[in-house]
């Protein structure tokens, strides 16, 4: 990793230069950094932006089509000699730049940047999270979830944008929330899901029922105990969000259990690093082969989005897969649907002076199972009629206690939503909320 010392020296030099100026910096004032535009965002945060970045980020109607919202020029067309002709701060805090040496057809081109955009672009931590623009997650155990559990009224969820935004922020933060007073109508789940976005259609259908049935084709459709798992890991792209609406709940037993897979992984990383390393790497095969379907996929127990890590100057120094930076990760754990190992069968695969990789994985799996099933890790609730749970299927493991299928009725209606659909809706609501906040503040 590149040392931060050059960046500290650069910031000190930049601050000194800005202190000697009025803040209205021109191209002639750029000193040793002629390609950068120096901007004081506040007294403590001087910043320098490469002019190519600023020009490329212009979102005026000449650069981004207002109807399609798609870019009308290519980054590769920006001239190397792009420069600032004039720059001024607008009364509302926005920055206005008039360009010179711009692309053909963009003569006298003016760009305007909000202070929010500039602050985010200047923040190293914000840039690291920029791939999804979502809030960080909070790990939870039994006591935290009992205190922080989010329960939202169904009608408010459907009618209030602010309530929907609160719900989705909580879902991103903790991976788990509940709706109450949901009508017993089996189609209610479609309205719940469509507030976020389109349903994920699978071979189970766009919505599906969880009931105990004779000769069940899925363990969920029995009355017996169902251990912690995640759904559809035998598919290449498992759904990111699962919704379960309780329509009937008159049986004895059948309590629902939830556990934070990220918290268990974090404990493993901190205290059992060798096991955590094996757990995140070892390939596990999942399969659904029944009723004319054969879905199968092999994946490690932990998946990460690839993060391009840069130093303070933006130079790439490594590709990271560390979920603690705030970028998305996924836990993969579904014992009922696990098939025989395929990628690594343990055949003559030894670690240096130690047990085979398969034995290390077994030890890691035992530790993960212990951590997610610990009493202080499980949030347990008996879902009542009219309750709906929404949870992150790539983070939160769910389970069910056995129930008496001969007495009473237990009927849940289920649906899935893809991760990208959830992210899209949350981004839009975040942006709307930020714009409303700036409007109230007169920014």
């Amino acid at each position: 990793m590149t040392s931060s010392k050059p960046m500290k020296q650069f910031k000190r030099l930049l601050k000194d230069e800005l202190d000697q100026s009025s803040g209205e910096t021109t191209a002639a004032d750029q000193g040793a950094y002629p390609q950068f535009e120096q901007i004081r965002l506040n007294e403590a945060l001087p910043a320098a932006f490469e002019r190519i970045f600023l020009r490329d980020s212009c979102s005026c109607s000449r650069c981004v089509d207002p109807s399609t919202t798609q870019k009308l020029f290519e980054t590769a067309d920006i001239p190397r000699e792009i420069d600032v002709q004039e720059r001024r701060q607008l009364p509302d805090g926005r920055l206005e730049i008039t360009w010179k040496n711009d692309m053909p057809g963009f003569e006298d081109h003016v760009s305007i940047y909000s202070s929010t955009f500039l602050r985010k672009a200047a923040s190293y931590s914000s840039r690291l999270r920029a791939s999804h623009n979502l809030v960080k997650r909070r790990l939870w155990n039994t006591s935290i979830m009992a205190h922080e559990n989010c329960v939202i009224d169904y009608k408010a969820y459907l009618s209030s944008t602010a309530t929907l935004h609160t719900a989705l922020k909580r879902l991103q933060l903790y991976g788990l929330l509940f709706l109450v007073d949901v009508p017993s109508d089996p189609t209610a789940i479609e309205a719940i899901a469509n507030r976020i976005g389109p349903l994920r259609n699978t071979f189970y259908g766009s919505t599906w029922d969880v009931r105990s049935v004779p000769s069940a084709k899925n363990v969920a459709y029995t009355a017996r105990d169902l251990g912690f798992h995640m759904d559809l890991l035998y598919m290449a792209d498992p759904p990111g969000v699962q919704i379960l609406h309780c329509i009937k709940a008159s049986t004895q037993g059948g309590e629902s259990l939830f556990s934070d897979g990220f918290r268990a992984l974090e404990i493993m990383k901190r205290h059992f690093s060798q096991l955590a390393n094996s757990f995140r790497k070892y390939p596990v095969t999942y399969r659904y082969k029944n009723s004319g379907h054969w879905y199968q996929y092999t994946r490690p127990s932990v998946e990460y989005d690839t993060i391009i890590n840069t130093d303070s100057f933006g130079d790439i120094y490594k590709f990271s897969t560390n979920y603690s930076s705030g970028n998305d990760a996924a836990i993969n754990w579904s014992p009922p649907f696990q098939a025989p190992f395929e990628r690594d069968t343990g055949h003559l695969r030894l670690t240096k002076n130690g047990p085979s990789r398969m034995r290390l994985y077994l030890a890691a799996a035992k530790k993960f199972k212990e951590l997610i099933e610990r009493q202080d890790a499980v949030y347990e609730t008996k879902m009542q009629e009219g309750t709906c749970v929404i949870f992150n299927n790539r983070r939160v493991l769910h389970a069910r206690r056995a129930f008496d299928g001969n007495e009473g009725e237990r009927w849940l209606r289920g649906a899935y939503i893809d991760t990208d659909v959830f992210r899209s809706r949350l981004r839009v609501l975040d942006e709307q909320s930020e714009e409303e906040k700036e409007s109230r503040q007169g920014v």
Side-chain angles (χ1 to χ4, degrees):
M1 176 177 175
T2 303
S3 170
S4 62
K5 187 176 180 180
M7 187 59 189
K8 291 179 180 178
Q9 293 174 340
F10 173 61
K11 283 187 174 181
R12 192 181 306 116
L13 174 62
L14 179 58
K15 188 175 187 301
D16 289 344
E17 289 182 359
L18 287 173
D19 287 341
Q20 295 170 10
S21 71
S22 63
E24 294 296 323
T25 313
T26 65
D29 297 323
Q30 299 303 305
Y33 301 94
Q35 300 167 339
F36 288 81
E37 195 66 16
Q38 301 169 12
I39 301 169
R40 187 189 290 281
L41 301 176
N42 55 50
E43 288 300 318
L45 184 60
F49 297 96
E50 164 65 72
R51 294 194 185 104
I52 292 174
F53 165 76
L54 291 172
R55 178 61 190 86
D56 189 63
S57 301
C58 181
S59 58
C60 77
S61 59
R62 296 173 66 185
C63 294
V64 177
D65 186 278
S67 176
T68 66
T69 71
Q70 293 166 3
K71 204 170 178 179
L72 298 175
F73 69 94
E74 297 182 19
T75 301
D77 292 334
I78 298 174
R80 292 186 181 90
E81 59 273 14
I82 188 75
D83 205 347
V84 172
Q85 179 173 309
E86 183 183 2
R87 190 185 87 188
R88 67 190 185 98
Q89 202 82 19
L90 300 179
D92 59 6
R94 294 179 299 166
L95 176 69
E96 180 185 89
I97 292 179
T98 302
W99 297 100
K100 67 178 180 180
N101 303 329
D102 205 341
M103 293 172 282
F106 285 87
E107 292 77 16
D108 302 319
H109 178 229
V110 177
S111 301
I112 297 178
Y113 308 91
S114 70
S115 57
T116 300
F117 170 80
L118 294 173
R119 283 196 302 271
K120 288 182 177 180
S123 167
Y124 186 49
S125 59
S126 293
R127 295 200 308 273
L128 285 178
R129 295 194 302 272
S131 58
H132 303 307
N133 302 320
L134 300 179
V135 295
K136 289 184 177 180
R137 299 184 176 97
R138 292 181 187 169
L139 307 181
W140 55 267
N141 57 18
T142 307
S143 60
I144 292 174
M145 184 51 62
H147 183 264
E148 298 290 339
N149 182 26
C150 186
V151 179
I152 292 177
D153 177 74
Y154 168 78
K155 289 183 179 179
Y157 173 87
L158 288 188
S159 62
S160 168
T161 300
T163 300
L164 176 64
H165 190 203
T166 297
L168 298 193
K169 286 192 296 184
R170 298 284 296 198
L171 185 57
Q172 171 65 21
L173 200 58
Y174 295 103
L176 180 66
L177 69 93
F178 294 86
L179 304 182
V180 293
D181 296 329
V182 181
S184 58
D185 183 350
T187 65
I189 194 169
E190 297 177 30
I192 293 170
N194 287 328
R195 280 289 277 163
I196 304 174
L199 291 161
R200 165 79 173 267
N201 198 359
T202 70
F203 67 91
Y204 293 113
S206 57
T207 62
W208 31 271
D209 295 310
V210 181
R211 282 169 153 166
S212 60
V213 296
S215 304
K217 303 301 182 183
N218 187 307
V219 66
Y221 304 155
T222 69
R224 59 177 174 263
D225 186 271
L226 177 59
F228 279 112
H229 67 285
M230 289 154 163
D231 282 18
L232 276 56
L233 296 189
Y234 40 75
M235 292 186 171
D237 183 23
V241 176
Q242 183 169 171
I243 306 173
L244 291 171
H245 170 207
C246 182
I247 299 176
K248 296 290 183 181
S250 58
T251 61
Q252 293 294 317
E255 292 82 2
S256 298
L257 306 107
F258 302 92
S259 187
D260 188 354
F262 284 174
R263 177 177 179 269
L265 178 60
E266 182 63 25
I267 293 173
M268 289 180 68
K269 288 168 64 178
R270 291 184 180 184
H271 303 289
F272 310 96
S273 58
Q274 186 181 21
L275 295 183
N277 192 50
S278 174
F279 188 70
R280 72 180 181 85
K281 288 182 177 180
Y282 198 82
V284 180
T285 301
Y286 297 96
R287 176 190 297 162
Y288 180 88
K289 187 180 181 183
N290 209 330
S291 301
H293 301 287
W294 186 350
Y295 290 88
Q296 186 162 317
Y297 204 84
T298 298
R299 51 187 8 112
S301 295
V302 185
E303 291 182 42
Y304 304 95
D305 281 352
T306 300
I307 308 164
I308 301 176
N309 289 274
T310 62
D311 60 23
S312 300
F313 291 103
D315 294 327
I316 295 174
Y317 60 84
K318 70 174 180 177
F319 289 85
S320 171
T321 54
N322 184 356
Y323 85 87
S324 63
S325 66
N327 285 266
D328 286 300
I331 302 292
N332 296 313
W333 183 264
S334 193
F337 295 95
Q338 190 174 322
F341 294 104
E342 286 189 335
R343 300 289 177 86
D344 188 341
T345 62
H347 179 64
L348 297 179
R349 295 299 299 271
L350 303 177
T351 58
K352 279 189 176 180
N353 302 316
S356 69
R357 298 198 334 168
M358 182 171 283
R359 287 186 177 271
L360 280 176
Y361 169 75
L362 177 61
K366 286 179 178 292
K367 178 56 65 177
F368 185 78
K369 176 180 170 66
E370 172 194 324
L371 291 171
I372 60 175
E373 294 181 352
R374 270 174 27 178
Q375 186 175 355
D376 66 349
V378 177
Y379 181 74
E380 180 173 344
T381 182
K382 178 69 179 289
M383 289 185 64
Q384 303 299 319
E385 296 178 5
T387 301
C388 177
V389 62
I390 308 176
F391 59 95
N392 183 340
N393 184 56
R394 308 308 308 280
R395 168 184 177 177
V396 174
L397 301 107
H398 62 290
R400 182 199 66 213
R401 297 199 186 281
F403 62 93
D404 185 353
N406 298 316
E407 187 174 326
E409 185 178 5
R410 185 180 190 272
W411 176 17
L412 302 182
R413 189 82 168 162
Y416 300 116
I417 296 175
D418 281 329
T419 299
D420 284 331
V421 172
F422 165 74
R423 289 175 179 170
S424 170
R425 188 66 165 137
L426 181 53
R427 287 192 198 103
V428 169
L429 294 175
D430 282 344
E431 182 179 54
Q432 291 175 354
S433 177
E434 187 66 29
E435 289 174 350
E436 290 171 3
K437 180 180 177 182
E438 289 183 356
S439 178
R440 290 193 301 268
Q441 294 175 346
V443 176

